[in-house]
Amino acid sequence: MLLEIAIGDAYGAGFEFCGHEKIMLSNTLEKYVPHELGIQAGCYTDDTQMSIAVAEVLLSDSDCSANVFADAYVRCYKRDQRLGYAKGLQGLLNLCGNGADLRQRISPESRRNGAAMRSVPLGLIGDKKLLALAAREQAIVTHNTAEGILSSHVVAFMSHALLYDKAKLAELPELVLKMTGFALRNDWFAEVECDALQTLHAVNTALQANRGMSKLLLDCVNFGGDVDSVAAIAMGLASLTPEYVVDIPASLMSGLESGKFGSRYLRQLDVALAERYPVLNVHLERQP
Ligand SMILES: [Mg+2]
């Protein structure tokens, strides 16, 4: 789960809001590409780091409250400062020493996709009511808006439906509609802004159109725009269904960052999550 999120994030990060020419030329899956703003090839960004924070909350004995999530976001950033965050949030994270500090300083009125991008791990929560509550709590730290909270709930619920209900991909939109009232589109084609709801439509469109992770990655990047978030969420969800063939190129497996919080750490975290939430086990067995 986290490994695939990171691969989607790191692959997409090289193309985030880049020109169309770069996508045409380099979206070949041959290798990770660096981003002109300083993100090195194979390095993941905020999407993965905040998903790690959510996963660490799930592994702890803490309650899933906004304060606990806020602490985790600050802790994960402080121990491993990296690029890819929105400027405003990165500035705050640099200033803040803990979650309470962050919550005091932040104006959490964003309708962007930051709450959705870190929500795949929330699908591990077995109780749907607790899942909805956790989605809300984690979202309101930074995205205390109807769109921010809804987007987190939708992603978390898609993840949950794949994990626990063994839902077919084709069934997801109807299940999401029933659970959240949100109608996922499967015909997104435009560049994806950082917008929460656009991101959901793009993720669902790419997820429904493919059954292999390689083609999924290509499609996510081809949208253009905020493609690292789209690819991170889509790859995370694809890792939770046997309908998806795990055909990630070897170059992307070996090219993912290998530092202290790199591929090994992500695999360890996935194993720890599967120990705590055995429903994840069968999917980790498919991990390359
Ligand atoms: Mg990002």
Side-chain angles (χ1 to χ4, degrees):
M1 174 191 265
L2 287 164
L3 183 70
E4 289 87 351
I5 290 171
I7 289 168
D9 180 3
Y11 187 71
F15 299 97
E16 190 180 8
F17 290 104
C18 74
H20 189 59
E21 308 71 42
K22 185 177 179 184
I23 294 178
M24 294 281 286
L25 198 70
S26 304
N27 184 21
T28 61
L29 299 181
E30 201 184 307
K31 58 183 181 188
Y32 293 102
V33 296
H35 192 280
E36 289 65 28
L37 291 178
I39 299 166
Q40 290 175 20
C43 288
Y44 64 75
T45 69
D46 53 344
D47 310 77
T48 304
Q49 186 164 65
M50 296 190 101
S51 296
I52 290 171
V54 167
E56 289 184 357
V57 171
L58 294 179
L59 287 171
S60 73
D61 289 319
S62 318
D63 57 342
C64 287
S65 68
N67 288 338
V68 170
F69 283 116
D71 259 339
Y73 301 148
V74 174
R75 183 185 69 244
C76 286
Y77 176 75
K78 288 287 179 191
R79 73 186 185 195
D80 177 30
Q81 295 190 15
R82 57 176 63 232
L83 298 172
Y85 281 85
K87 253 192 201 153
L89 181 57
Q90 185 140 25
L92 279 174
L93 289 169
N94 284 328
L95 280 177
C96 294
N98 55 40
D101 213 3
L102 175 66
R103 295 203 71 197
Q104 199 171 24
R105 290 172 192 257
I106 199 169
S107 305
E109 282 99 36
S110 176
R111 291 178 169 75
R112 296 170 68 162
N113 57 17
M117 74 184 188
R118 57 190 187 231
S119 292
V120 173
L122 290 174
L124 289 165
I125 299 173
D127 183 291
K128 290 189 181 77
K129 278 187 187 152
L130 290 179
L131 173 145
L133 208 63
R136 182 180 187 283
E137 289 295 303
Q138 77 78 18
I140 64 172
V141 176
T142 51
H143 295 70
N144 194 2
T145 56
E147 294 86 346
I149 294 165
L150 172 68
S151 66
S152 173
H153 191 197
V154 169
V155 171
F157 177 71
M158 288 168 90
S159 169
H160 173 99
L162 294 172
L163 279 165
Y164 285 95
D165 306 332
K166 313 293 175 210
K168 295 282 179 206
L169 288 164
E171 298 168 340
L172 283 180
E174 205 183 322
L175 293 171
V176 167
L177 184 64
K178 264 190 202 155
M179 179 56 65
T180 70
F182 183 70
L184 281 165
R185 285 174 53 181
N186 61 5
D187 60 351
W188 190 264
F189 60 89
E191 183 170 307
V192 186
E193 296 169 21
C194 292
D195 178 81
L197 305 187
Q198 282 188 21
T199 299
L200 298 180
H201 294 314
V203 165
N204 185 59
T205 299
L207 208 54
Q208 298 295 343
N210 296 292
R211 289 299 180 267
M213 289 183 177
S214 284
K215 186 70 181 12
L216 179 67
L217 275 173
L218 290 173
D219 273 12
C220 288
V221 168
N222 280 335
F223 286 125
D226 195 9
V227 295
D228 62 330
S229 296
V230 175
I233 299 169
M235 284 289 283
L237 293 173
S239 77
L240 305 179
T241 170
E243 286 185 86
Y244 255 87
V245 178
V246 185
D247 58 357
I248 302 164
S251 57
L252 298 189
M253 289 306 306
S254 61
L256 186 66
E257 62 173 287
S258 59
K260 190 172 177 193
F261 297 101
S263 50
R264 216 171 126 216
Y265 182 78
L266 295 162
R267 282 184 191 276
Q268 284 169 353
L269 211 47
D270 273 334
V271 169
L273 285 169
E275 276 168 17
R276 180 92 174 216
Y277 301 94
V279 73
L280 185 61
N281 258 314
V282 59
H283 303 291
L284 288 198
E285 284 165 16
R286 303 191 319 129
Q287 226 170 37

